[in-house]
Amino acid sequence: MAGGGDGLDKLADLQKTLSKKDRVCSYDRLGEGASDRPDGLQTFADSGRILTAVLDRIAGDGPVVLAGHSLGGLIAARYAPGHQDRVKGLVLMDATIPTLSADISKVIPESATGQVAELRAQTLAVNEGQNPEKIVIADAEVRSAGDIPVEIIKHDKQYDSVPEYGPALERMWSEGQRRWRAISSRSTLGTAAGSGHYIYVDRPDLAVRAVQRVTAQAAGHGGRPTR
């Protein structure tokens, strides 16, 4: 599941590598890639209904592992708790943090000016639905998906577009990644050394191994999942 602004073609190399051993599927959400544009604002519930339809089509009622980057990771993490009957594992690659709007509003005050003020305003606008998918990226606490295997991977390279706030933004992001651990009693958190936000591009070796490990663990609980 690609991040916001990315189509499934961005995942082509990762999918090709993983498909040597397993069945791997990706899709363009509404507003991304070759899919239709959404008519209006979408919610996570809307995105979830589309994901359910995709899974029904490609996997029937079989088990699946969801691997998502950035916004794709957030959507996967929001979806899994309510669909424990079919989602048997997660790989979250620098997934958008659970309460990004509130967190960035705390780190960057409303009184900020210049480039950092633009970053704050742009982030909040995107989260309010000003993005290709027109999805409202609402803050919410992390819900549990039980004891499914989950690997959470965060980037390594510090955000440096606004140097004076870089360290604070990194702490915010790292704390958000730690909070994703509450999604499962079998979650792990690691850092992709040398990687920026696009972990599966900068460190495809780590991304591949993470997905394969989670798939193997999920399969050990019965059934061969589709990713």
Side-chain angles (χ1 to χ4, degrees):
M1 298 174 66
D6 294 329
L8 60 82
D9 58 318
K10 188 85 173 181
L11 297 163
D13 289 343
L14 178 64
Q15 181 166 341
K16 182 177 180 180
T17 300
L18 289 168
S19 65
K20 294 175 183 177
K21 292 186 176 181
D22 292 285
R23 185 178 185 217
V24 187
C25 303
S26 55
Y27 72 107
D28 286 328
R29 298 186 297 273
L30 286 179
E32 305 289 6
S35 288
D36 293 338
R37 308 301 99 175
D39 294 329
L41 290 178
Q42 294 193 89
T43 65
F44 283 116
D46 296 324
S47 187
R49 281 191 287 272
I50 293 172
L51 177 52
T52 294
V54 170
L55 296 180
D56 286 346
R57 179 70 177 271
I58 65 174
D61 59 358
V64 300
V65 166
L66 300 180
H69 169 250
S70 197
L71 177 58
L74 174 61
I75 292 172
R78 292 277 188 249
Y79 182 84
H83 298 84
Q84 296 178 44
D85 58 326
R86 70 195 317 173
V87 179
K88 301 303 181 182
L90 288 171
V91 178
L92 306 179
M93 294 173 281
D94 229 25
T96 301
I97 60 179
T99 54
L100 177 57
S101 292
D103 294 344
I104 201 166
S105 295
K106 291 177 183 177
V107 172
I108 303 176
E110 193 172 2
S111 59
T113 59
Q115 186 178 7
V116 70
E118 293 178 10
L119 173 63
R120 182 185 192 273
Q122 182 182 39
T123 300
L124 295 176
V126 166
N127 290 357
E128 290 167 359
Q130 295 181 39
N131 56 69
E133 299 177 46
K134 295 185 180 179
I135 186 171
V136 177
I137 306 169
D139 289 352
E141 292 304 311
V142 178
R143 296 169 55 215
S144 174
D147 65 349
I148 63 172
V150 178
E151 289 207 21
I152 304 155
I153 314 171
K154 69 181 186 69
H155 70 257
D156 181 37
K157 295 179 181 178
Q158 180 171 303
Y159 186 88
D160 58 4
S161 294
V162 284
E164 67 273 31
Y165 283 90
L169 288 168
E170 285 300 316
R171 288 192 295 272
M172 175 197 79
W173 193 260
S174 293
E175 174 57 27
Q177 298 302 310
R178 284 191 291 271
R179 288 165 62 193
W180 278 127
R181 292 206 60 185
I183 201 167
S184 172
S185 59
R186 296 173 61 201
S187 64
T188 63
L189 170 62
T191 300
S195 174
H197 183 50
Y198 280 86
I199 290 169
Y200 65 91
V201 174
D202 295 338
R203 291 297 310 272
D205 56 323
L206 292 182
V208 167
R209 288 200 297 269
V211 176
Q212 290 176 338
R213 279 193 300 267
V214 169
T215 300
Q217 293 171 45
H221 279 256
R224 188 68 174 172
T226 296
R227 290 189 294 264

